[in-house]
């Protein structure tokens, strides 16, 4: 049995949620007009990595996405008390994208040549301060207004009250200052069928049109937007109190997102259909590989792997371990399962035939970091997106 009591041979099933009896209300505009667009049932916290010796069962919580019909913000329908996540390795691709973003901000003359910057931290770690420092910006003092205020490491989505967290960032702006927000695009989640981006503790999922409306509601005007391929589609949005919108830059991002239908529940419905296909496909793959006598491991004990493994009913008999560079996760187990989290060195020593990579952005990076896997005849398989 796994830590959640799922038998080894069971088929993946979405356990019905036990949500609050209260109707959801928008975390930003407070409207109660909206629809549940994705329901992953009851899931363990992807931030709680129990000790390997802890047999469970782990506590579970309803995990549902609700789309507000009034402002267009996609969000968790339910609250859950979850701990902060152990900080993992920041993908090199994210650092590369940050440097690209700063270069584009300089080219667009959005960054001042001098001034102050205030950065809002994120449980994901990472910082823009070094790159912005090279552009002449120095950190503002605690609580001081700043010429550039940035939430660039996906921190804002961790706030239950989205109006409060956005207002807090807007309030740090100095006169004439610019707010910079980076977020994983809801359009990318929809187009890439990335339903496993939905997770406890990530309360909001932004489209650019919705974020522009939210900014306007706290007195800010979106002035520019930039898109990047990271995570299938990441957006950096700039806004200020008296800014002049660059319509060409904004339209280049919002146009394709509107075409995807980020404001329409029917457009998000494909995510739900992908849940069972992806979970079933993963389990079938693991069963085939196991029956062929192959040794199967995973790489990247990331939050997006948790619901996938639980929904697929995967345990240590199908997946022997998941390697991760985070010392805080090593020696523990994947939430909701008995699958141990191991070190990269232990992964190499196991000489696996197949390694599933749960974060697509890590595939090339880990192939370069661990050439011993392929040298020994093993192969890597990207399972970071839905089907």
């Amino acid at each position: 049995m796994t830590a959640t009591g799922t038998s080894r041979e069971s088929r993946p099933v979405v356990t019905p949620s036990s949500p609050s009896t209260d109707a959801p209300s928008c975390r930003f505009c407070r409207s109660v007009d909206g629809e549940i667009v994705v329901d992953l049932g009851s899931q363990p916290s992807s931030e709680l990595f129990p000790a390997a010796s802890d047999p469970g069962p782990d506590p579970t919580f309803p995990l549902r996405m609700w789309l507000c019909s009034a402002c267009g913000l996609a969000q968790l329908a339910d609250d859950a008390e979850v701990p902060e996540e152990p900080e993992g390795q920041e993908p090199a691709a994210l650092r590369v994208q940050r440097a690209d973003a700063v270069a584009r901000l300089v080219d667009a003359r959005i960054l001042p040549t001098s001034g102050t910057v205030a950065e809002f931290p994120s449980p994901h770690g990472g910082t823009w301060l070094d790159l912005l420092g090279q552009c002449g910006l120095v950190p503002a003092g605690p609580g001081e207004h700043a010429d550039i205020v940035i939430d660039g490491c996906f921190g804002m989505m961790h706030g239950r009250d989205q109006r409060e967290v956005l207002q807090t960032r807007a309030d740090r702006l100095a006169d004439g200052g610019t707010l910079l927000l980076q977020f994983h695009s809801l359009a990318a989640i929809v187009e890439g069928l990335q339903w496993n981006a939905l997770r406890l503790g990530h309360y909001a999922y932004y489209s650019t049109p919705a974020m522009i409306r939210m900014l306007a509601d706290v007195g800010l005007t979106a002035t520019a937007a930039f898109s990047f391929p990271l995570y299938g589609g990441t957006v950096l949005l700039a806004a200020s109190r008296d800014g002049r919108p660059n319509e060409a830059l904004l339209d280049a991002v919002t146009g394709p997102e509107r075409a995807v239908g980020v404001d329409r529940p029917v457009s998000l419905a494909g995510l739900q259909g992908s849940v069972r296909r992806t979970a079933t496909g993963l389990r079938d793959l693991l069963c085939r590989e196991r029956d062929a006598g192959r040794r199967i491991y995973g790489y990247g004990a990331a939050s997006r792997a948790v619901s996938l493994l639980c929904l697929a009913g995967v345990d240590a008999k199908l997946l022997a371990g998941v390697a991760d560079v985070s010392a805080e996760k090593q020696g523990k187990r994947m939430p909701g399962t008995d699958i141990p989290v191991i070190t990269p060195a232990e992964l190499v020593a196991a000489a696996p035939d197949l390694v599933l990579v749960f974060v697509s952005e890590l595939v090339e990076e880990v192939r370069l970091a661990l050439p011993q896997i392929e040298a020994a005849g093993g192969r890597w398989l990207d399972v970071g997106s839905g089907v």
Side-chain angles (χ1 to χ4, degrees):
M1 302 290 283
T2 68
T4 53
T6 303
S7 77
R8 172 174 173 266
E9 297 302 328
S10 64
R11 304 301 295 172
V13 174
V14 177
T15 305
S17 300
S18 298
S20 167
T21 56
D22 297 331
S25 61
C26 182
R27 298 179 184 277
F28 183 79
C29 74
R30 315 309 187 204
S31 172
V32 295
D33 185 13
E35 293 185 35
I36 297 293
V37 291
V38 182
D39 189 343
L40 298 187
S42 295
Q43 294 295 324
S45 169
S46 57
E47 298 185 348
L48 173 62
F49 282 75
S53 59
D54 181 351
D58 300 333
T60 60
F61 310 88
L63 184 54
R64 308 183 297 165
M65 178 187 282
W66 185 80
L67 181 66
C68 178
S69 298
C71 70
L73 178 64
Q75 57 203 274
L76 291 189
D78 310 281
D79 287 339
E81 292 290 343
V82 294
E84 291 296 337
E85 62 185 318
E87 186 173 320
Q89 179 191 30
E90 183 179 55
L94 184 53
R95 297 190 293 272
V96 170
Q97 187 249 277
R98 237 183 347 249
D100 183 19
V102 170
R104 291 170 73 173
L105 290 169
V106 171
D107 289 344
R109 299 185 179 180
I110 291 173
L111 292 180
T113 55
S114 63
T116 57
V117 56
E119 181 178 62
F120 280 80
S122 165
H124 297 288
T127 181
W128 292 57
L129 293 181
D130 51 350
L131 290 171
L132 294 176
Q134 296 170 22
C135 297
L137 298 172
V138 298
E144 290 183 356
H145 293 114
D147 299 300
I148 294 292
V149 175
I150 184 162
D151 186 310
C153 298
F154 313 101
M156 187 173 142
M157 68 190 309
H158 293 83
R160 292 190 185 195
D161 188 329
Q162 285 291 296
R163 176 175 290 276
E164 179 182 33
V165 294
L166 184 57
Q167 187 68 63
T168 299
R169 285 150 178 76
D171 289 345
R172 287 294 302 274
L173 284 173
D175 291 342
T178 296
L179 174 64
L180 298 173
L181 301 173
Q182 178 176 249
F183 50 90
H184 186 193
S185 166
L186 179 62
I189 293 174
V190 173
E191 283 196 298
L193 299 175
Q194 299 176 37
W195 58 266
N196 57 354
L198 187 67
R199 48 157 291 188
L200 298 167
H202 282 186
Y203 290 101
Y205 303 83
Y206 312 103
S207 69
T208 306
M211 182 62 83
I212 289 173
R213 287 192 290 270
M214 292 165 64
L215 288 165
D217 212 47
V218 298
L220 299 180
T221 299
T223 57
F226 306 90
S227 61
F228 304 88
L230 185 72
Y231 301 141
T234 302
V235 173
L236 180 65
L237 190 61
S240 60
R241 290 195 180 91
D242 301 310
R244 182 175 301 174
N246 184 320
E247 300 295 350
L249 289 177
L250 291 170
D251 290 346
V253 176
T254 58
E257 290 195 14
R258 288 194 176 97
V260 170
V262 290
D263 290 340
R264 300 194 302 271
V266 67
S267 299
L268 277 64
L271 292 171
Q272 189 68 55
S274 177
V275 174
R276 185 170 294 275
R277 290 195 305 272
T278 306
T280 300
L282 175 62
R283 185 177 180 84
D284 288 346
L285 167 70
L286 291 172
C287 288
R288 288 195 305 271
E289 295 292 317
R290 176 204 60 192
D291 293 345
R294 298 188 181 99
R295 300 178 300 277
I296 319 159
Y297 285 77
Y299 188 92
S303 59
R304 68 183 72 180
V306 173
S307 57
L308 174 59
L309 292 173
C310 289
L311 289 168
V314 177
D315 63 10
K317 294 185 177 72
L318 286 175
L319 189 67
V322 176
D324 199 278
V325 297
S326 172
E328 292 186 36
K329 296 179 181 179
Q330 293 163 2
K332 298 183 179 179
R333 60 173 171 79
M334 295 297 292
T337 82
D338 61 350
I339 301 169
V341 180
I342 62 176
T343 67
E346 289 174 311
L347 176 66
V348 170
D353 297 296
L354 178 65
V355 183
L356 310 181
V357 184
F358 294 106
V359 181
S360 299
E361 289 71 26
L362 288 177
V363 174
E364 292 307 315
E365 184 176 339
V366 73
R367 287 187 67 202
L368 292 174
L370 300 176
Q372 306 97 315
I373 299 295
E374 290 177 303
R379 60 190 177 95
W380 304 93
L381 180 64
D382 180 3
V383 293
S385 298
V387 294

